[in-house]
Amino acid sequence: MRRSVVTIEDCGGPLRRLWRRPALASVLDQSVVSGFGFLTGILAARAVGIEEFGLFVLILIVTAFAQGLHNALVTAPMMTLAGSGTRAAPTYDASVLAGAAVLSLVAASGVALALVAIFALRHEDAQTSVVLGGAALAFAQNLQFTIRRMLFARGRGLTALAMDTARATSFPLVLAAAWLFGLPLSAASVAWLLAGTALAATAPLAWPVWRARRRSLRLRPVARRHWTIARWLFPVVFVTFGQEQVAWILAGIVLGDEAIGGLRAAQYLVGLVLLLLTATENVIPTAAARARETGGEVALRAYLRRATLATAPILGLLLLAIALPADIWLRLVFGEPFAAYAPGVQILAVGVVFIFLRDMATQYFRAMQDTNIVFRAFVVSLLVSLAIMYPLVARYGVTGTALVIAIGHGTSAAFLLFAAMRRVTIGEKPIPRP
């Protein structure tokens, strides 16, 4: 007799089965993390003012670079390798956690040295609270990032969602309590609060991972396995960092904290549109590969053309709605001092158009399984960005910094679009065998 679709074990109903789906947990968790990042920027700008916010942005840039390296060395390889050797999983997880803690300490030291160097280049005495706050934030966020990925790798996405939600809700409450009690708020204190809430949310989940190990730690074998994958991811972090984030750091050195704070607020606004592009990553790559498999390169190009024409009007309308009244949005969201940086929003909006075109061209090469050219495009844009960076920033200030970022994205987009058109004229190549 055929087994019924609905069983006693399914007493939770469709809703329970839906919540068990890893994809749903991943989408919800990413929404919490992205929303928390956006909310943090607004709260920090409102709480500490434009100049201190600029200093806070420098902390975030340096710690983000440290997290990118941590992802390349630890979490990205772990997501690939965690599924193998189920019986040794507790030992593997504990070894990864130990290695992550050591590398997080190294990252914290690197962030501290980088912040000291930035103060030195600005001919200022290093602010100890800022340096230590940045180091603490790098350590805490790298550990939280490791635990989040580890939970998803073990099918515990909802637990990761709970952890990130706890951190996202506790930080505004702690920040509000500090403000109500009259505690001085600054870039350093906000960094310390972020670090503290990250550790408080992570520690209860990290301790069971450590205690569950069955054998002694296997740091060297795990490191060798991770490096097999990380050796190709590691240099990409430097290339992508150099294209855009170096411009932010240079602006902070040359123009000061107020300028970088205003420009970062401008980027937060256009970042809302970038969330739309991030959402397409859940659909377009799979559909493009399917079109390539079923109908060849002609079908692939037709699909990407339809996807581009369907997305472009929505993207354009959103950018116009943000860029044209940019001064109003900046004043409303961040405060009156930020309204003067509206031109930066408009230039960065052009950069989003370049990012969109580059992403669509990237989808073409991903479906054709020829991603080496994507890496070359970023290398070229990095070289162009480095060549124009100091002249534009020094001469045109905030506007020049926004131009550097937009031109960098435009260069990589033009490189990939030209390569795609050239490939069409040459003809279709066979898909390489793995």
Side-chain angles (χ1 to χ4, degrees):
M1 183 176 178
R2 185 179 177 183
R3 185 175 181 266
S4 175
V5 175
V6 180
T7 65
I8 296 176
E9 289 78 7
D10 291 325
C11 59
L15 184 60
R16 176 182 293 182
R17 295 195 299 274
L18 180 66
W19 274 90
R20 285 176 178 173
R21 293 179 181 176
L24 178 61
S26 177
V27 170
L28 292 175
D29 185 73
Q30 186 58 49
S31 300
V32 170
V33 173
S34 298
F36 175 65
F38 185 73
L39 179 63
T40 298
I42 296 175
L43 291 177
R46 287 284 189 177
V48 303
I50 187 170
E51 188 169 351
E52 280 291 312
F53 180 64
L55 187 56
F56 177 67
V57 167
L58 286 176
I59 296 174
L60 291 183
I61 290 172
V62 179
T63 54
F65 178 61
Q67 184 169 308
L69 294 178
H70 188 86
N71 177 58
L73 293 172
V74 179
T75 56
M78 179 187 66
M79 296 301 288
T80 302
L81 298 172
S84 61
T86 304
R87 293 179 63 185
T91 300
Y92 172 76
D93 287 350
S95 299
V96 169
L97 181 59
V102 173
L103 288 178
S104 295
L105 287 174
V106 175
S109 301
V111 167
L113 291 175
L115 290 173
V116 170
I118 290 174
F119 278 114
L121 290 172
R122 288 161 46 156
H123 305 289
E124 299 176 4
D125 293 333
Q127 299 181 29
T128 304
S129 58
V130 171
V131 173
L132 294 180
L137 182 58
F139 177 82
Q141 290 199 151
N142 281 1
L143 276 186
Q144 184 187 19
F145 189 57
T146 303
I147 293 298
R148 178 190 304 137
R149 290 290 188 258
M150 190 176 291
L151 290 170
F152 273 104
R154 296 302 173 201
R156 299 177 60 195
L158 290 179
T159 305
L161 173 62
M163 177 187 70
D164 290 328
T165 302
R167 198 253 182 131
T169 53
S170 62
F171 172 74
L173 295 176
V174 173
L175 187 66
W179 179 76
L180 286 174
F181 283 101
L183 299 177
L185 293 176
S186 63
S189 61
V190 172
W192 277 106
L193 291 177
L194 283 171
T197 52
L199 283 177
T202 304
L205 296 171
W207 178 243
V209 172
W210 178 257
R211 291 194 62 185
R213 68 186 189 279
R214 296 173 182 171
R215 297 180 297 181
S216 59
L217 298 179
R218 299 174 58 83
L219 294 178
R220 287 187 179 180
V222 169
R224 284 196 298 267
R225 294 176 70 193
H226 277 223
W227 182 246
T228 302
I229 301 172
R231 61 181 179 177
W232 300 111
L233 300 175
F234 197 68
V236 174
V237 178
F238 290 92
V239 172
T240 54
F241 179 82
Q243 177 180 328
E244 182 171 338
Q245 303 305 326
V246 172
W248 289 101
I249 294 176
L250 181 63
I253 294 172
V254 175
L255 306 177
D257 295 330
E258 181 176 339
I260 194 174
L263 189 58
R264 189 67 166 196
Q267 192 183 49
Y268 269 101
L269 288 183
V270 298
L272 293 174
V273 184
L274 289 175
L275 292 177
L276 171 64
L277 298 184
T278 303
T280 63
E281 186 68 19
N282 296 323
V283 179
I284 291 180
T286 303
R290 187 180 300 116
R292 170 68 177 84
E293 182 180 354
T294 57
E297 190 172 351
V298 174
L300 171 62
R301 293 199 303 269
Y303 169 74
L304 290 177
R305 199 159 39 239
R306 292 194 304 270
T308 302
L309 293 176
T311 309
I314 302 173
L315 184 77
L317 289 175
L318 287 174
L319 287 175
L320 288 175
I322 291 174
L324 292 182
D327 57 333
I328 298 176
W329 287 117
L330 286 171
R331 186 180 295 108
L332 180 66
V333 176
F334 294 97
E336 182 64 36
F338 292 85
Y341 295 89
V345 176
Q346 292 148 7
I347 296 173
L348 292 175
V350 176
V352 173
V353 175
F354 292 145
I355 293 174
F356 170 63
L357 295 175
R358 183 183 67 203
D359 284 356
M360 300 310 293
T362 299
Q363 301 296 350
Y364 171 78
F365 287 105
R366 285 173 63 177
M368 296 298 291
Q369 298 185 22
D370 185 17
T371 54
N372 177 52
I373 196 167
V374 178
F375 178 75
R376 284 188 281 155
F378 277 102
V379 171
V380 171
S381 64
L382 169 63
L383 296 176
V384 172
S385 297
L386 292 177
I388 65 175
M389 193 172 294
Y390 184 77
L392 287 181
V393 172
R395 182 166 184 177
Y396 298 106
V398 172
T399 302
T401 306
L403 282 172
V404 170
I405 295 170
I407 291 172
H409 293 310
T411 301
S412 54
F415 186 98
L416 286 175
L417 289 171
F418 176 77
M421 289 187 293
R422 184 172 180 271
R423 174 130 186 189
V424 170
T425 60
I426 293 176
E428 180 177 357
K429 296 181 180 180
I431 297 178
R433 294 184 181 274

